[in-house]
Amino acid sequence: RRPLEWRVTIRRASDRDSLGMKLGYNGDSKSLVVRMVERGLVQEWNRAHASEAVLPHDRILVVNGIRGTPEQMVSALRASPECVLEMSRPAEVAPGLGR
């Protein structure tokens, strides 16, 4: 089965607002892996959008239209007041994910 894909939009009110995610990646990776969701804007997104929550082991494939190296995606996450994330999760992990 194909992985589930969805879009998450996070808006920062100030530069000090934390997304609240710990991310990981391999050197040759084309995505970021969510290692942990902590207190922050992603946790707020999860409360408001339970059927599209960001969970550990989800992958971030694209950040603000950037599909590049993990370093480029992390830079885009840090630099932008609005982050549009294209997410992916293996279908067997979350059969109930809705759009």
Side-chain angles (χ1 to χ4, degrees), residues 10 21 24 29 31 40 44 46 49 62 79 87-88 91-92 99:
I10 304 291
M21 288 188 295
S29 180
S31 64
E44 291 174 20
N46 287 351
H49 305 88
V62 180
M87 307 293 301
S88 174
E92 61 274 7
R99 291 193 77 130

Side-chain angles (χ1 to χ4, degrees), residues 12-13 30 48 60 66 93 95:
R12 288 188 175 97
K30 297 291 185 209
I60 301 172
I66 296 170
V93 173

Side-chain angles (χ1 to χ4, degrees), residues 8-9 18 29 31 36-37 41 68 71 85 89 93:
V8 172
T9 301
S18 171
S29 180
S31 64
M36 185 182 304
V37 177
L41 297 174
E71 293 87 356
L85 312 176
R89 179 181 303 151
V93 173

Side-chain angles (χ1 to χ4, degrees), residues 11-20 39-41 44 78 80-81:
R11 290 177 185 85
R12 288 188 175 97
S14 79
D15 290 343
R16 291 186 303 256
D17 286 342
S18 171
L19 293 177
R39 192 170 67 184
L41 297 174
E44 291 174 20
R78 290 185 176 142
S80 179

Side-chain angles (χ1 to χ4, degrees), residues 53-84:
V54 176
L55 302 174
H57 308 293
D58 287 348
R59 295 192 176 274
I60 301 172
L61 305 176
V62 180
V63 176
N64 295 343
I66 296 170
R67 183 184 300 266
T69 67
E71 293 87 356
Q72 290 170 320
M73 290 189 281
V74 168
S75 292
L77 282 171
R78 290 185 176 142
S80 179
E82 179 174 289
C83 296
V84 179

